[in-house]
Amino acid sequence: MNQITNTILMIRPVSFRMNEQTAVNNYYQKNSNGILPAAITAKAQNEFDAFVDKLKAVGVNVIVVDDTKDTDTPDSVFPNNWISFHESGDVILYPMFAENRRLERREDILDVLEDQGFVINDVMDYTLAEEEGVFLEGTGSIILDRANGKAYCALSPRADEDLFIEFCEDFEFTPIIFNAYQAVNGDRELIYHTNVMMSIGETFAVICSECIDDKTERKSVIESLKQDGKEIIYITESQVNAFAGNMLQVKGANEKTYLVMSESAYNSLNKGQINQIEKHASILYSNLETIETCGGGSARCMMAEVFLPKE
């Protein structure tokens, strides 16, 4: 199994704003007071377009699909939460916490991929779990080490333990389960998505171990990564707040690999961390300030990796 891919699906926003339905447990979101909705969308679109241009410039195959105005989908720019694509030809649909995020699921996106020669063998749909109030938000909740057959998950209102274990059984991943926290007004609150504090590349892992308050859990996560020969790049909780955990390694032209992140993530890193990363991949970053501030997500959330086989 490959850990990284050259092909990324991205959804261009048309009515981007702070989603009031997700703000209840995404503490990274902030209101852009005094800025008109149209201006926020325009800023988000500019950031999106510049980001796509940077990815394409290094040879990443980016499939861009426009969001639709038919639905109220302020978070559509983060497709990795509702869908994932696998080398087996499987497509997985995930149950979403926010009701308006469920509207992001679109069958026509599968048609777009098939039109580009990708093979879809089966669609695994976990979305009925929404009726039970049970959620598992894709590769936001689950960090896949595809090459080593492991799946890491920080439990939260958006990541249900039983459903995660069912996913791991269905797709033959070994589950690694833990709790990750962040400081919110002096309290320790669960981090809403695993992918804001952790990223796994081919030969390295970026992780904020200080988010894992339980020492036994922390030790088992670190040991699991080391077991698979990953160099561990530790980041701090304040760097997580700058979205330094929300990174994704992708493949560009000539098999060259890039660790993709936002400008705020890059600016939060120190020289030692940058040197560690650059032993494994070149760094590619882009300004995503509006998307991060209103959406509470960053570069990794915007990219749904396509591992599907080609015809």
Side-chain angles (χ1 to χ4, degrees):
M1 287 280 192
N2 291 307
Q3 179 60 14
I4 62 172
T5 179
N6 172 251
T7 303
I8 300 294
L9 168 74
M10 296 178 68
I11 308 293
R12 189 173 190 269
V14 294
S15 55
F16 179 80
R17 66 168 194 279
M18 177 176 152
N19 185 352
E20 57 291 338
Q21 292 186 19
T22 55
V24 293
N25 54 26
N26 177 345
Y27 305 105
Y28 301 99
Q29 287 173 256
K30 294 175 186 68
N31 240 321
S32 289
N33 293 326
I35 305 176
L36 291 170
I40 290 173
T41 294
K43 280 183 162 191
Q45 287 173 332
N46 289 339
E47 290 173 4
F48 179 93
D49 294 341
F51 185 26
V52 169
D53 287 346
K54 285 186 176 184
L55 289 165
K56 287 182 171 176
V58 298
V60 179
N61 176 26
V62 186
I63 300 166
V64 176
V65 177
D66 283 306
D67 188 17
T68 168
K69 283 195 167 156
D70 299 344
T71 49
D72 175 35
T73 46
D75 281 331
S76 61
V77 74
F78 304 132
N80 82 309
N81 299 144
W82 67 265
I83 195 164
S84 65
F85 307 97
H86 301 262
E87 277 182 52
S88 53
D90 288 315
V91 172
I92 307 176
L93 303 178
Y94 297 91
M96 306 287 284
F97 170 81
E99 286 184 26
N100 62 6
R101 291 214 62 190
R102 299 168 196 172
L103 303 171
E104 294 172 31
R105 295 191 290 255
R106 289 166 48 190
E107 277 187 34
D108 62 307
I109 287 172
L110 302 186
D111 299 334
V112 170
L113 291 168
E114 287 183 319
D115 289 345
Q116 298 222 4
F118 290 99
V119 177
I120 294 171
N121 292 322
D122 198 17
V123 177
M124 181 64 145
D125 189 343
Y126 291 106
T127 61
L128 275 177
E130 288 166 353
E131 294 175 12
E132 311 292 323
V134 168
F135 314 108
L136 187 68
E137 295 194 334
T139 53
S141 297
I142 305 167
I143 309 293
L144 293 174
D145 185 344
R146 295 169 189 256
N148 292 296
K150 289 180 180 175
Y152 295 77
C153 181
L155 301 178
S156 79
R158 307 200 198 179
D160 178 79
E161 183 169 9
D162 291 340
L163 188 57
F164 172 61
I165 289 168
E166 186 183 324
F167 160 87
C168 289
E169 286 171 352
D170 289 343
F171 291 95
E172 298 181 353
F173 284 99
T174 301
I176 290 122
I177 299 166
F178 56 99
N179 293 283
Y181 298 88
Q182 65 185 120
V184 182
N185 301 324
D187 294 323
R188 297 297 278 167
E189 300 283 0
L190 288 168
I191 285 179
Y192 79 108
H193 277 161
T194 318
N195 76 1
V196 296
M197 52 73 67
M198 179 179 191
S199 172
I200 296 179
E202 284 184 308
T203 51
F204 65 95
V206 176
I207 186 168
C208 179
S209 61
E210 65 190 51
C211 288
I212 307 174
D213 291 359
D214 183 290
K215 286 180 180 160
T216 309
E217 288 182 356
R218 186 189 312 160
K219 190 177 173 199
S220 75
V221 171
I222 297 301
E223 279 180 357
S224 174
L225 294 166
K226 285 183 173 170
Q227 211 175 36
D228 298 322
K230 306 285 185 199
E231 179 178 1
I232 297 180
I233 300 160
Y234 292 100
I235 56 172
T236 64
E237 203 173 314
S238 66
Q239 290 175 319
V240 168
N241 292 333
F243 293 99
N246 201 243
M247 304 170 167
L248 183 68
Q249 188 184 14
V250 300
K251 204 180 282 183
N254 306 317
E255 298 293 295
K256 187 170 177 183
T257 75
Y258 297 85
L259 187 59
V260 182
M261 65 190 75
S262 71
E263 190 174 290
S264 73
Y266 178 76
N267 288 338
S268 78
L269 298 174
N270 63 42
K271 208 170 168 75
Q273 291 165 324
I274 290 169
N275 291 341
Q276 264 187 299
I277 290 167
E278 287 180 337
K279 283 194 292 182
H280 302 275
S282 297
I283 293 174
L284 186 153
Y285 63 87
S286 200
N287 180 347
L288 301 172
E289 187 182 359
T290 307
I291 291 170
E292 288 177 328
T293 302
C294 297
S298 188
R300 194 279 168 264
C301 305
M302 295 169 68
M303 298 180 282
E305 306 143 279
V306 180
F307 286 91
L308 296 170
K310 279 284 220 153
E311 279 171 359

PDB file of all heavy atoms in Angstrom, residues 24-44:
ATOM      1  N   VAL A  24     -19.472  24.557  17.792  1.00  0.00           N
ATOM      2  CA  VAL A  24     -19.751  24.088  19.161  1.00  0.00           C
ATOM      3  C   VAL A  24     -18.619  23.226  19.727  1.00  0.00           C
ATOM      4  O   VAL A  24     -18.430  23.186  20.942  1.00  0.00           O
ATOM      5  CB  VAL A  24     -21.091  23.321  19.250  1.00  0.00           C
ATOM      6  CG1 VAL A  24     -22.259  24.242  18.994  1.00  0.00           C
ATOM      7  CG2 VAL A  24     -21.110  22.115  18.320  1.00  0.00           C
ATOM      8  N   ASN A  25     -17.863  22.529  18.847  1.00  0.00           N
ATOM      9  CA  ASN A  25     -16.737  21.757  19.380  1.00  0.00           C
ATOM     10  C   ASN A  25     -15.455  21.894  18.550  1.00  0.00           C
ATOM     11  O   ASN A  25     -14.504  21.145  18.727  1.00  0.00           O
ATOM     12  CB  ASN A  25     -17.102  20.268  19.569  1.00  0.00           C
ATOM     13  CG  ASN A  25     -17.655  19.628  18.312  1.00  0.00           C
ATOM     14  OD1 ASN A  25     -17.354  20.061  17.206  1.00  0.00           O
ATOM     15  ND2 ASN A  25     -18.458  18.597  18.484  1.00  0.00           N
ATOM     16  N   ASN A  26     -15.448  22.855  17.627  1.00  0.00           N
ATOM     17  CA  ASN A  26     -14.208  23.203  16.929  1.00  0.00           C
ATOM     18  C   ASN A  26     -13.762  24.552  17.480  1.00  0.00           C
ATOM     19  O   ASN A  26     -14.271  25.601  17.085  1.00  0.00           O
ATOM     20  CB  ASN A  26     -14.441  23.277  15.415  1.00  0.00           C
ATOM     21  CG  ASN A  26     -13.185  23.697  14.664  1.00  0.00           C
ATOM     22  OD1 ASN A  26     -12.230  24.192  15.250  1.00  0.00           O
ATOM     23  ND2 ASN A  26     -13.190  23.518  13.352  1.00  0.00           N
ATOM     24  N   TYR A  27     -12.813  24.513  18.418  1.00  0.00           N
ATOM     25  CA  TYR A  27     -12.418  25.731  19.127  1.00  0.00           C
ATOM     26  C   TYR A  27     -11.409  26.563  18.334  1.00  0.00           C
ATOM     27  O   TYR A  27     -10.928  27.578  18.820  1.00  0.00           O
ATOM     28  CB  TYR A  27     -11.855  25.358  20.507  1.00  0.00           C
ATOM     29  CG  TYR A  27     -12.822  24.522  21.312  1.00  0.00           C
ATOM     30  CD1 TYR A  27     -12.624  23.156  21.491  1.00  0.00           C
ATOM     31  CD2 TYR A  27     -13.974  25.100  21.863  1.00  0.00           C
ATOM     32  CE1 TYR A  27     -13.532  22.377  22.205  1.00  0.00           C
ATOM     33  CE2 TYR A  27     -14.886  24.328  22.583  1.00  0.00           C
ATOM     34  CZ  TYR A  27     -14.656  22.970  22.749  1.00  0.00           C
ATOM     35  OH  TYR A  27     -15.558  22.201  23.449  1.00  0.00           O
ATOM     36  N   TYR A  28     -11.109  26.127  17.111  1.00  0.00           N
ATOM     37  CA  TYR A  28     -10.181  26.891  16.272  1.00  0.00           C
ATOM     38  C   TYR A  28     -10.924  27.929  15.414  1.00  0.00           C
ATOM     39  O   TYR A  28     -10.311  28.799  14.822  1.00  0.00           O
ATOM     40  CB  TYR A  28      -9.372  25.954  15.365  1.00  0.00           C
ATOM     41  CG  TYR A  28      -8.556  24.942  16.138  1.00  0.00           C
ATOM     42  CD1 TYR A  28      -9.003  23.637  16.317  1.00  0.00           C
ATOM     43  CD2 TYR A  28      -7.349  25.304  16.728  1.00  0.00           C
ATOM     44  CE1 TYR A  28      -8.274  22.712  17.049  1.00  0.00           C
ATOM     45  CE2 TYR A  28      -6.608  24.385  17.465  1.00  0.00           C
ATOM     46  CZ  TYR A  28      -7.072  23.101  17.619  1.00  0.00           C
ATOM     47  OH  TYR A  28      -6.346  22.181  18.352  1.00  0.00           O
ATOM     48  N   GLN A  29     -12.232  27.784  15.326  1.00  0.00           N
ATOM     49  CA  GLN A  29     -13.012  28.721  14.515  1.00  0.00           C
ATOM     50  C   GLN A  29     -13.173  30.069  15.223  1.00  0.00           C
ATOM     51  O   GLN A  29     -13.364  30.125  16.425  1.00  0.00           O
ATOM     52  CB  GLN A  29     -14.414  28.148  14.240  1.00  0.00           C
ATOM     53  CG  GLN A  29     -14.428  27.009  13.248  1.00  0.00           C
ATOM     54  CD  GLN A  29     -15.822  26.392  13.156  1.00  0.00           C
ATOM     55  OE1 GLN A  29     -16.051  25.333  13.698  1.00  0.00           O
ATOM     56  NE2 GLN A  29     -16.735  27.058  12.491  1.00  0.00           N
ATOM     57  N   LYS A  30     -13.139  31.121  14.406  1.00  0.00           N
ATOM     58  CA  LYS A  30     -13.373  32.461  14.966  1.00  0.00           C
ATOM     59  C   LYS A  30     -14.270  33.238  14.023  1.00  0.00           C
ATOM     60  O   LYS A  30     -14.231  33.039  12.808  1.00  0.00           O
ATOM     61  CB  LYS A  30     -12.047  33.219  15.138  1.00  0.00           C
ATOM     62  CG  LYS A  30     -11.146  32.586  16.192  1.00  0.00           C
ATOM     63  CD  LYS A  30      -9.802  33.271  16.266  1.00  0.00           C
ATOM     64  CE  LYS A  30      -8.868  32.525  17.228  1.00  0.00           C
ATOM     65  NZ  LYS A  30      -8.481  31.204  16.728  1.00  0.00           N
ATOM     66  N   ASN A  31     -15.062  34.137  14.598  1.00  0.00           N
ATOM     67  CA  ASN A  31     -15.947  34.962  13.792  1.00  0.00           C
ATOM     68  C   ASN A  31     -15.185  36.093  13.129  1.00  0.00           C
ATOM     69  O   ASN A  31     -14.349  36.724  13.766  1.00  0.00           O
ATOM     70  CB  ASN A  31     -17.038  35.576  14.687  1.00  0.00           C
ATOM     71  CG  ASN A  31     -18.415  35.138  14.235  1.00  0.00           C
ATOM     72  OD1 ASN A  31     -18.662  35.051  13.030  1.00  0.00           O
ATOM     73  ND2 ASN A  31     -19.290  34.856  15.182  1.00  0.00           N
ATOM     74  N   SER A  32     -15.456  36.337  11.851  1.00  0.00           N
ATOM     75  CA  SER A  32     -14.867  37.498  11.186  1.00  0.00           C
ATOM     76  C   SER A  32     -15.868  38.639  11.273  1.00  0.00           C
ATOM     77  O   SER A  32     -16.620  38.914  10.329  1.00  0.00           O
ATOM     78  CB  SER A  32     -14.552  37.181   9.722  1.00  0.00           C
ATOM     79  OG  SER A  32     -13.470  36.310   9.655  1.00  0.00           O
ATOM     80  N   ASN A  33     -15.914  39.266  12.418  1.00  0.00           N
ATOM     81  CA  ASN A  33     -16.904  40.317  12.642  1.00  0.00           C
ATOM     82  C   ASN A  33     -16.659  41.500  11.724  1.00  0.00           C
ATOM     83  O   ASN A  33     -15.529  41.909  11.503  1.00  0.00           O
ATOM     84  CB  ASN A  33     -16.859  40.783  14.106  1.00  0.00           C
ATOM     85  CG  ASN A  33     -17.337  39.680  15.045  1.00  0.00           C
ATOM     86  OD1 ASN A  33     -18.218  38.918  14.679  1.00  0.00           O
ATOM     87  ND2 ASN A  33     -16.742  39.590  16.210  1.00  0.00           N
ATOM     88  N   GLY A  34     -17.760  42.011  11.197  1.00  0.00           N
ATOM     89  CA  GLY A  34     -17.656  43.223  10.388  1.00  0.00           C
ATOM     90  C   GLY A  34     -17.258  42.996   8.945  1.00  0.00           C
ATOM     91  O   GLY A  34     -17.177  43.942   8.167  1.00  0.00           O
ATOM     92  N   ILE A  35     -16.992  41.736   8.562  1.00  0.00           N
ATOM     93  CA  ILE A  35     -16.651  41.470   7.156  1.00  0.00           C
ATOM     94  C   ILE A  35     -17.878  40.860   6.483  1.00  0.00           C
ATOM     95  O   ILE A  35     -18.468  39.899   6.977  1.00  0.00           O
ATOM     96  CB  ILE A  35     -15.442  40.515   7.033  1.00  0.00           C
ATOM     97  CG1 ILE A  35     -14.242  41.065   7.806  1.00  0.00           C
ATOM     98  CG2 ILE A  35     -15.074  40.313   5.571  1.00  0.00           C
ATOM     99  CD1 ILE A  35     -13.033  40.150   7.815  1.00  0.00           C
ATOM    100  N   LEU A  36     -18.255  41.408   5.361  1.00  0.00           N
ATOM    101  CA  LEU A  36     -19.450  40.927   4.658  1.00  0.00           C
ATOM    102  C   LEU A  36     -19.239  39.492   4.168  1.00  0.00           C
ATOM    103  O   LEU A  36     -18.136  39.127   3.764  1.00  0.00           O
ATOM    104  CB  LEU A  36     -19.763  41.830   3.464  1.00  0.00           C
ATOM    105  CG  LEU A  36     -20.241  43.243   3.815  1.00  0.00           C
ATOM    106  CD1 LEU A  36     -20.289  44.106   2.574  1.00  0.00           C
ATOM    107  CD2 LEU A  36     -21.625  43.183   4.470  1.00  0.00           C
ATOM    108  N   PRO A  37     -20.315  38.677   4.177  1.00  0.00           N
ATOM    109  CA  PRO A  37     -20.200  37.283   3.733  1.00  0.00           C
ATOM    110  C   PRO A  37     -19.562  37.148   2.345  1.00  0.00           C
ATOM    111  O   PRO A  37     -18.726  36.265   2.116  1.00  0.00           O
ATOM    112  CB  PRO A  37     -21.650  36.793   3.728  1.00  0.00           C
ATOM    113  CG  PRO A  37     -22.344  37.658   4.732  1.00  0.00           C
ATOM    114  CD  PRO A  37     -21.667  38.997   4.675  1.00  0.00           C
ATOM    115  N   ALA A  38     -19.954  38.027   1.434  1.00  0.00           N
ATOM    116  CA  ALA A  38     -19.399  37.939   0.063  1.00  0.00           C
ATOM    117  C   ALA A  38     -17.893  38.170   0.073  1.00  0.00           C
ATOM    118  O   ALA A  38     -17.144  37.541  -0.689  1.00  0.00           O
ATOM    119  CB  ALA A  38     -20.077  38.964  -0.846  1.00  0.00           C
ATOM    120  N   ALA A  39     -17.437  39.049   0.960  1.00  0.00           N
ATOM    121  CA  ALA A  39     -16.006  39.339   1.048  1.00  0.00           C
ATOM    122  C   ALA A  39     -15.246  38.151   1.631  1.00  0.00           C
ATOM    123  O   ALA A  39     -14.135  37.833   1.191  1.00  0.00           O
ATOM    124  CB  ALA A  39     -15.777  40.583   1.899  1.00  0.00           C
ATOM    125  N   ILE A  40     -15.873  37.483   2.618  1.00  0.00           N
ATOM    126  CA  ILE A  40     -15.234  36.298   3.209  1.00  0.00           C
ATOM    127  C   ILE A  40     -15.107  35.193   2.158  1.00  0.00           C
ATOM    128  O   ILE A  40     -14.058  34.570   2.011  1.00  0.00           O
ATOM    129  CB  ILE A  40     -16.038  35.800   4.432  1.00  0.00           C
ATOM    130  CG1 ILE A  40     -15.897  36.809   5.581  1.00  0.00           C
ATOM    131  CG2 ILE A  40     -15.554  34.424   4.887  1.00  0.00           C
ATOM    132  CD1 ILE A  40     -16.781  36.519   6.773  1.00  0.00           C
ATOM    133  N   THR A  41     -16.184  34.976   1.395  1.00  0.00           N
ATOM    134  CA  THR A  41     -16.136  33.954   0.337  1.00  0.00           C
ATOM    135  C   THR A  41     -15.067  34.290  -0.689  1.00  0.00           C
ATOM    136  O   THR A  41     -14.289  33.420  -1.100  1.00  0.00           O
ATOM    137  CB  THR A  41     -17.517  33.819  -0.344  1.00  0.00           C
ATOM    138  OG1 THR A  41     -18.449  33.295   0.609  1.00  0.00           O
ATOM    139  CG2 THR A  41     -17.453  32.866  -1.528  1.00  0.00           C
ATOM    140  N   ALA A  42     -15.012  35.557  -1.096  1.00  0.00           N
ATOM    141  CA  ALA A  42     -14.021  35.974  -2.102  1.00  0.00           C
ATOM    142  C   ALA A  42     -12.595  35.740  -1.589  1.00  0.00           C
ATOM    143  O   ALA A  42     -11.724  35.253  -2.331  1.00  0.00           O
ATOM    144  CB  ALA A  42     -14.227  37.441  -2.470  1.00  0.00           C
ATOM    145  N   LYS A  43     -12.365  36.067  -0.325  1.00  0.00           N
ATOM    146  CA  LYS A  43     -11.026  35.845   0.256  1.00  0.00           C
ATOM    147  C   LYS A  43     -10.697  34.357   0.276  1.00  0.00           C
ATOM    148  O   LYS A  43      -9.576  33.947  -0.055  1.00  0.00           O
ATOM    149  CB  LYS A  43     -10.975  36.386   1.697  1.00  0.00           C
ATOM    150  CG  LYS A  43     -10.781  37.885   1.793  1.00  0.00           C
ATOM    151  CD  LYS A  43     -10.686  38.274   3.271  1.00  0.00           C
ATOM    152  CE  LYS A  43     -10.074  39.656   3.427  1.00  0.00           C
ATOM    153  NZ  LYS A  43      -9.732  39.942   4.820  1.00  0.00           N
ATOM    154  N   ALA A  44     -11.675  33.556   0.698  1.00  0.00           N
ATOM    155  CA  ALA A  44     -11.456  32.105   0.755  1.00  0.00           C
ATOM    156  C   ALA A  44     -11.177  31.547  -0.642  1.00  0.00           C
ATOM    157  O   ALA A  44     -10.305  30.684  -0.814  1.00  0.00           O
ATOM    158  CB  ALA A  44     -12.662  31.410   1.376  1.00  0.00           C
TER     159      ALA A  44
END
